[in-house]
Amino acid sequence: MTASPTRAPPPEGAGEAGGAIRPIVAIAHLSKSYRRGDQVVPVLRDITLDIPPGDFIALMGPSGSGKSTLLNLIAGIDKPDAGELRVDGEDITRLAEAELADWRAAHVGFVFQFYNLMPVLDAFENVELPLLLTSLGKRDRRERVETALALVGLSDRMDHYPNELSGGQQQRVAIARAFITDPTIIVADEPTGDLDRKSAEDILGLLRRLNSEMGKTVIMVTHDRHAVESARHVTHLEKGELVAGDGEKVT
C-alpha cells in the first residue's frame, strides 16, 4: 500500500528546480522478512512512504506491526529484502556494511527507550562520544558538548554518571548525543516509554524544539497517544502494511 504524509511547510531552501520538494526519506516498495528455523516470517510488505524535510512523524501500530523494523531500516541498522530506501537522495540499501556504518555515524541521531548510555562515562563524555569519530579538535568538541548539554538543561550535570541521573535526565543526555553531530534525521524508538508523565513531556518538548527551531526531521515510534500529539503527522502500520489514514495531520 502507498501512503504519503500531508506535507508541512518546508524549511527555506528545501525546494528543488521547478518548486518540487525532494523527500528527506523516500521509501519505495520496501519489504522485510525474518527467518525462524525453516519458516519465513514477513514483517513489512511493499511499503511506500515519503517523509518531507523538517517533518516530525510518528509511527504507530500494535506490537508486531513492523514499526520498529521500519525505523531500523530508515536508520540503516538493518537492510530490507527488497525495495528502495533513500535518505537525503542516497539509496542506503546499496551500501556495504562498512559504508553503512559510516553513513549512520554522519547522518542519524538515535534516541532509545532505555537511553543506551555508557555507564562508565559521565554525561559530558557520553555526549562527546560521537564526535570522537570526527576530525574536530578537543576545544571544538568541548564547545559543542557544552552547548548541547545547555540546550537540554543539563549544564550542571556534565560530570554526573548515568546512575547519578534520573530517567528523564538520562534521556536528555541521549537527546544531546543524538543531535551533537548535526545529523540529517533523528530516529526515536519509544523515547518516553520508560518515563513518568512529567519527564515524558520534557523529552517531547525537546524533540519539538529540535524539529521546530533546528529544522531537524524527527521520526518517532510510539505506543503513547499523548506523545503522538507532539508530531506533525502520524503513520499507522498493521501486520506489516501501511493502513488508511496515514499522513493525517496532528491537531
Side-chain angles (χ1 to χ4, degrees):
M1 181 178 290
T2 300
S4 182
T6 304
R7 297 189 169 185
E12 284 188 29
E16 295 181 325
I21 302 170
R22 184 179 72 185
I24 196 74
V25 177
I27 301 169
H29 306 295
L30 203 69
S31 296
K32 178 67 180 177
S33 60
Y34 294 105
R35 283 192 172 274
R36 289 183 187 162
D38 295 332
Q39 185 181 15
V40 177
V41 181
V43 181
L44 295 173
R45 301 177 179 88
D46 196 30
I47 300 291
T48 295
L49 176 70
D50 285 349
I51 300 174
D55 202 359
F56 186 157
I57 186 169
L59 303 178
M60 292 195 75
S63 295
S65 62
K67 58 188 184 300
S68 289
T69 298
L70 180 57
L71 191 74
N72 288 341
L73 292 175
I74 293 171
I77 295 174
D78 204 352
K79 284 194 167 188
D81 299 331
E84 185 178 273
L85 201 170
R86 292 184 178 275
V87 179
D88 201 20
E90 180 162 20
D91 186 357
I92 64 173
T93 67
R94 298 179 179 274
L95 298 179
E97 288 299 329
E99 294 173 321
L100 198 55
D102 290 341
W103 178 86
R104 282 195 303 269
H107 294 281
V108 185
F110 295 93
V111 182
F112 301 98
Q113 178 176 352
F114 297 112
Y115 328 129
N116 284 25
L117 301 179
M118 298 290 289
V120 297
L121 302 180
D122 61 27
F124 182 98
E125 292 165 332
N126 266 286
V127 176
E128 183 187 31
L129 203 55
L131 295 179
L132 298 179
L133 300 174
T134 72
S135 60
L136 287 176
K138 186 174 182 179
R139 178 179 297 179
D140 289 337
R141 292 199 307 270
R142 170 164 289 278
E143 288 179 359
R144 281 205 188 189
V145 174
E146 289 177 349
T147 298
L149 285 170
L151 192 150
V152 299
L154 289 177
S155 291
D156 59 343
R157 296 288 189 272
M158 290 190 198
D159 59 351
H160 285 56
Y161 289 87
N163 65 359
E164 299 172 324
L165 300 171
S166 68
Q169 289 171 333
Q170 289 184 64
Q171 194 63 296
R172 282 192 263 166
V173 173
I175 288 176
R177 180 185 60 191
F179 70 80
I180 192 69
T181 58
D182 192 24
T184 304
I185 58 174
I186 292 176
V187 298
D189 194 356
E190 300 283 2
T192 62
D194 197 46
L195 302 177
D196 61 68
R197 179 57 64 194
K198 174 62 170 62
S199 296
E201 183 51 47
D202 290 343
I203 294 307
L204 292 169
L206 285 172
L207 291 175
R208 288 194 298 268
R209 287 187 63 192
L210 290 178
N211 176 247
S212 62
E213 297 178 18
M214 299 176 64
K216 290 299 172 189
T217 301
V218 180
I219 306 167
M220 175 177 69
V221 161
T222 185
H223 284 97
D224 185 352
R225 293 200 169 275
H226 176 72
V228 168
E229 294 174 3
S230 291
R232 296 186 183 210
H233 303 104
V234 57
T235 290
H236 298 270
L237 288 94
E238 288 187 13
K239 297 180 180 179
E241 297 181 342
L242 298 178
V243 297
D246 292 303
E248 63 189 76
K249 187 173 178 61
V250 177
T251 57

